[in-house]
Amino acid sequence: MGSVSNSPYNNPSEPPQRRHVVLFPFMSKGHTIPLLHLCRLLLARNLDVTVFTTPANRPFIDQFLCSTTASVVDIPFPQNIHPEIPAGVESTDKLSSVTERLFNPFALATKHMQDDFEKALSSLPRVSFMVSDSFLWWTLDSATKFGFPRLAFYGFNNYAGCVSRAAAVDHLLQGVESDNELITLPRFPWIKVTKQDFDSSFTNPSPEGSEFFMTMIVAVMNSFGLVTNSFYELEPAFVDYWNTECGPKSWNVGPLCQLKAKPEHRHPKPVWIEWLDKKKIEGSRVLYVAFGTQAVISSEQVQEIAKALEKSELNFLWVIRKKESFSTWWDSEFEERVKGRGMVVSEWVDQTEILNHESVDGFLSHCGWNSAMEAICAGVPILAWAMMAEQPLNARMVAEEIKVGLRVETCDGSVRGFVKAEGLEKMVKKLMEEEEGEVVRKTVKEFSEAARRAVEEGGSSWQTLQSLIDEACSKEM
């Protein structure tokens, strides 16, 4: 590793340099994309930006930032970290399942990247500050060693952070016999949650998972702050609570998806965009259906989704990870029966482009926070179907707190229960055709306008980012 004593950080006689920011996203598309949006924003403020990644993840980042002046540095990802994680797997999107059993060794293995990371840092121009994913806890040690502040990126909102902290600090989930018993939060008495609203890694972590979680939290608490992909007007009570009662400070600089470059005109257009264009000409409203890149859905559940969409007689665009995963029943007959009003896509799509298409008027979603924010920005109401991680809390926020969507109905009424075709058909119709859907549609359009104002010059997120830059750069040692 290069000697730190020979780096520019310890040379006070060097001339002043441009502000330079390091971004280090976690190896997962949902964690990476928001920080790449942030990269573009920092570049627009005349900062130099270096993004760290791994060789297998670099092509995606290079493509995303191809029209920018950002620098990209890749460092090796550890190999042989788990018998079920093949060599070359450098993103959670490529894991066979995102469970504690595989996620923990994957996340813990990133610690072995620290020497290469610091060697690369030693050859960079002076760093003003760093934003790294909260899962990369060890980057705080590197930032401290090199004398610049580290901010942690959390992929979720203030609501989820405040509710999780309140449940943990007040020990509300201990001694609860039923996973589905509603529990009132004394700090937020209008909110009721269940144990199933929290991932098992939070309520009943393995020893390895508990160690990782506590190490990550300690690093976050000792960081300069949190970069949060939200905006003040969306959740003011929770931003204020976090910044007065918790910490470190949450800097709400989003929605980051509002800041992406305008898509280039592509020739030819993707077939799904051409299909949506036809629906626009017809005056048809389309339900967009997508559950992210990591949710694992059983063949039985996918079959119920297909039945519901077919029986609903609604227009729909369904993005599914791999149709071949459901080959026991999936064939051309379903697509033939819904031909004309339904389209199934099993490849990567530009979700923001779809949500902003004029024909799309509803979103059946797993309620990952990136997807929720994209829908809010597009003014598209959400039918929330939480699958994993903090998504049940996002679903509560969407349906109960900010009221920009509805929730699916499970067979047993639980958060994570099975959803039958009949119940799903009822809810998609409610979202797309009934008064309840119109109410949430009106609300989400109001928040969409607030989101647009937040990122404009002088808006709350615009000002917050400028304050973050100024304060973080003033802390440079």
Side-chain angles (χ1 to χ4, degrees):
M1 186 178 75
S3 171
V4 174
S5 62
N6 293 328
S7 79
Y9 298 95
N10 297 305
N11 186 0
S13 63
E14 69 171 3
Q17 295 179 314
R18 285 166 54 91
R19 290 172 167 178
H20 175 210
V21 181
V22 162
L23 301 180
F24 201 158
F26 185 65
M27 300 79 192
S28 171
K29 291 289 193 302
H31 290 242
T32 298
I33 290 173
L35 284 186
L36 298 184
H37 289 323
L38 178 63
C39 175
R40 288 183 174 274
L41 190 56
L42 294 170
L43 292 169
R45 301 285 177 110
N46 294 316
L47 279 73
D48 293 332
V49 181
T50 300
V51 180
F52 278 85
T53 187
T54 69
N57 290 295
R58 178 162 187 162
F60 175 81
I61 292 177
D62 282 342
Q63 182 179 11
F64 200 104
L65 299 175
C66 64
S67 60
T68 75
T69 59
S71 300
V72 181
V73 176
D74 60 72
I75 51 180
F77 189 80
Q79 301 298 313
N80 304 314
I81 59 178
H82 189 276
E84 295 180 47
I85 301 178
V89 171
E90 298 178 8
S91 173
T92 60
D93 312 337
K94 303 295 184 182
L95 295 176
S96 58
S97 64
V98 189
T99 58
E100 265 202 286
R101 185 170 54 84
L102 295 183
F103 174 80
N104 285 335
F106 182 92
L108 289 167
T110 65
K111 167 69 175 173
H112 298 295
M113 300 170 68
Q114 186 169 352
D115 285 349
D116 287 315
F117 177 56
E118 292 178 359
K119 181 179 180 181
L121 281 178
S122 68
S123 64
L124 291 180
R126 180 187 298 274
V127 177
S128 301
F129 65 91
M130 172 173 64
V131 182
S132 62
D133 196 280
S134 57
F135 289 163
L136 304 176
W137 78 97
W138 47 268
T139 58
L140 174 63
D141 293 338
S142 302
T144 302
K145 184 183 298 186
F146 281 80
F148 56 79
R150 178 249 186 169
L151 293 103
F153 174 71
Y154 263 151
F156 49 79
N157 50 59
N158 301 278
Y159 173 95
C162 289
V163 168
S164 298
R165 187 179 186 279
V169 169
D170 293 338
H171 308 290
L172 298 179
L173 304 179
Q174 296 179 7
V176 176
E177 293 184 5
S178 169
D179 286 348
N180 301 312
E181 177 185 339
L182 284 171
I183 307 160
T184 300
L185 300 178
R187 296 167 194 259
F188 309 104
W190 66 93
I191 298 176
K192 291 180 172 61
V193 296
T194 71
K195 282 185 72 172
Q196 283 208 340
D197 282 306
F198 302 89
D199 194 75
S200 60
S201 61
F202 182 85
T203 57
N204 187 32
S206 64
E208 189 179 49
S210 181
E211 178 185 357
F212 169 68
F213 181 78
M214 291 309 301
T215 303
M216 178 188 72
I217 292 299
V218 169
V220 167
M221 296 302 293
N222 286 292
S223 295
F224 177 70
L226 291 171
V227 173
T228 307
N229 186 15
S230 186
F231 59 104
Y232 184 79
E233 293 81 0
L234 186 68
E235 44 175 348
F238 300 99
V239 176
D240 291 343
Y241 180 85
W242 184 271
N243 285 340
T244 56
E245 303 295 330
C246 306
K249 183 174 180 178
S250 172
W251 300 83
N252 291 264
V253 299
L256 292 170
C257 59
Q258 288 276 68
L259 309 165
K260 69 175 291 185
K262 296 290 184 183
E264 298 177 0
H265 294 292
R266 290 170 290 174
H267 301 288
K269 292 181 180 179
V271 290
W272 52 90
I273 295 298
E274 290 184 342
W275 186 84
L276 290 173
D277 287 343
K278 291 178 183 176
K279 292 302 167 187
K280 177 187 172 184
I281 294 170
E282 294 172 6
S284 300
R285 303 163 75 185
V286 176
L287 174 71
Y288 173 53
V289 182
F291 302 107
T293 57
Q294 299 195 153
V296 178
I297 309 174
S298 69
S299 293
E300 293 77 14
Q301 187 63 88
V302 171
Q303 191 166 4
E304 294 298 312
I305 297 170
K307 287 179 182 177
L309 294 175
E310 182 175 350
K311 291 180 179 179
S312 73
E313 298 186 352
L314 294 168
N315 293 281
F316 66 88
L317 173 62
W318 184 8
V319 176
I320 191 168
R321 289 177 66 187
K322 291 182 180 179
K323 282 188 286 188
E324 58 268 24
S325 301
F326 312 105
S327 57
T328 54
W329 71 271
W330 191 287
D331 57 30
S332 59
E333 292 182 9
F334 167 73
E335 293 177 76
E336 190 62 32
R337 289 193 301 271
V338 299
K339 189 175 182 180
R341 67 173 182 85
M343 183 176 192
V344 181
V345 178
S346 57
E347 56 189 287
W348 187 89
V349 301
D350 185 334
Q351 181 162 281
T352 56
E353 184 180 14
I354 290 173
L355 286 168
N356 281 282
H357 197 281
E358 290 180 52
S359 66
V360 173
D361 214 21
F363 184 16
L364 174 56
S365 170
H366 64 308
C367 239
W369 189 238
N370 290 336
S371 292
M373 286 299 284
E374 289 166 2
I376 290 168
C377 291
V380 175
I382 301 166
L383 180 55
W385 187 350
M387 302 278 178
M388 57 185 289
E390 90 289 358
Q391 293 164 13
L393 294 178
N394 294 341
R396 284 204 184 274
M397 181 187 182
V398 160
E400 299 170 11
E401 188 68 31
I402 57 177
K403 297 179 171 60
V404 297
L406 309 174
R407 294 193 72 165
V408 297
E409 293 182 353
T410 59
C411 291
D412 59 6
S414 68
V415 172
R416 301 173 188 266
F418 193 80
V419 176
K420 293 287 287 183
E422 295 77 12
L424 182 57
E425 179 190 354
K426 181 181 85 171
M427 292 309 299
V428 296
K429 284 185 173 181
K430 189 171 288 188
L431 182 75
M432 298 296 287
E433 299 180 340
E434 299 178 18
E435 184 178 353
E436 284 184 70
E438 291 306 312
V439 171
V440 296
R441 186 168 284 104
K442 179 182 177 182
T443 303
V444 75
K445 290 187 184 303
E446 292 170 353
F447 276 118
S448 175
E449 181 60 24
R452 183 189 62 77
R453 291 194 300 268
V455 299
E456 288 181 341
E457 186 170 352
S460 61
S461 295
W462 188 95
Q463 294 186 52
T464 296
L465 181 60
Q466 192 59 52
S467 296
L468 183 160
I469 292 168
D470 292 342
E471 291 189 34
C473 289
S474 73
K475 298 292 182 182
E476 182 185 351
M477 292 175 278

